[in-house]
Amino acid sequence: MNQNIQPSPIRVAIVDDDAIVLDSLSMLLGQEKGIEIVATAANGAEAVDLVHDHMVDVVLMDIQMPVLDGIGATSRILAAGGSTRVLLLTTFDDDTFLDGGIAAGASGFLLKTTPAAEIAAAIRTVHGGGKVLSPGPTSRVLERYVRGQRPSTGSTAELDLSGREREVLRLLCQARTNRQIARQMNVAETTVKTHVSSLMRKMGVGSRLEIVTEAYKRGIGG
């Protein structure tokens, strides 16, 4: 039995009505290990058709497009069933788009200013069943999520967090990536991942976003 069998690449479709953006993303993401660009489209209607034809795992979808916008296309793609995930990518940091995308069932929302390496990381995350939001939108989603809820009088001490874990938690609440946290704390990125895993265990949650949500609910976020 061959022990060196490599996992299948993530099959990605890119949808954008700007040909320059489409070509640029296709070139940059096509160089990422484990990602294969299998199709491109210029509007949401084309996206709905190509998902089935090309067995797409993740659609990187612009929001504002002719014929059918990205939110409408996301709704149709997910309503058809299957395992395809949609990652919305837009120039506009606007809550209308954000709320519409979340309501449509998108797995993520990134600004077009996001570096290609981070977009690739987001593709891997949503393909694995996770959720991704750009830092600005993340902060507002969390604010709305906890608005009207009375924070408990909890503290990091009650969770028995170390000083390093408290610092990682503070930076997570500022929507920092593992790489950014590692640089700020002057530690290895693997060390940050270890602290994040410990926070998940101690807080009884299963994702980074849930860590931050739980922190805000406890009144210890930010």
Side-chain angles (χ1 to χ4, degrees):
M1 186 173 185
N2 190 350
Q3 299 296 323
N4 297 317
I5 296 176
Q6 297 297 315
S8 299
I10 302 171
R11 298 173 61 82
V12 175
I14 304 175
V15 185
D16 200 301
D17 64 329
D18 186 326
I20 295 176
V21 172
L22 197 63
D23 290 344
S24 177
L25 286 174
S26 296
M27 179 186 69
L28 292 171
L29 294 175
Q31 297 173 358
E32 290 286 337
K33 184 177 181 180
I35 291 177
E36 179 183 359
I37 308 302
V38 296
T40 60
N43 63 66
E46 292 178 4
V48 174
D49 293 333
L50 67 79
V51 164
H52 179 267
D53 293 342
H54 295 273
M55 296 182 293
V56 175
D57 295 315
V58 178
V59 182
L60 189 61
M61 181 93 72
D62 187 22
I63 289 182
Q64 289 193 311
M65 295 182 293
V67 185
L68 180 65
D69 66 24
I71 293 175
T74 297
S75 295
R76 294 188 187 182
I77 289 169
L78 299 182
S83 59
T84 302
R85 311 280 183 175
V86 179
L87 180 58
L88 293 172
L89 192 65
T90 182
T91 305
F92 306 98
D93 185 4
D94 187 303
D95 280 358
T96 302
F97 298 134
L98 175 62
D99 291 339
I102 291 174
S107 295
F109 183 100
L110 296 177
L111 300 179
K112 286 186 178 179
T113 53
T114 305
E118 292 184 21
I119 294 176
I123 288 171
R124 296 184 184 100
T125 296
V126 300
H127 179 251
K131 304 288 185 181
V132 177
L133 289 173
S134 283
T138 297
S139 299
R140 293 197 304 278
V141 168
L142 289 170
E143 181 182 350
R144 289 200 300 274
Y145 182 88
V146 300
R147 186 179 296 154
Q149 295 185 16
R150 188 183 187 89
S152 71
T153 56
S155 69
T156 53
E158 291 178 1
L159 293 170
D160 191 27
L161 303 184
S162 69
R164 288 287 193 177
E165 288 170 344
R166 288 195 295 271
E167 179 65 6
V168 170
L169 177 59
R170 183 181 70 81
L171 294 171
L172 284 175
C173 288
Q174 295 175 9
R176 304 293 179 83
T177 65
N178 283 354
R179 181 174 298 178
Q180 291 169 333
I181 294 172
R183 287 176 179 173
Q184 183 157 339
M185 294 179 63
N186 195 29
V187 297
E189 193 170 344
T190 53
T191 300
V192 175
K193 292 179 180 178
T194 298
H195 289 318
V196 171
S197 296
S198 180
L199 286 169
M200 288 183 191
R201 177 178 55 79
K202 290 182 179 181
M203 300 177 82
V205 298
S207 72
R208 294 166 60 91
L209 188 57
E210 288 177 302
I211 288 175
V212 181
T213 301
E214 182 65 20
Y216 274 84
K217 287 170 65 177
R218 289 172 173 262
I220 58 176

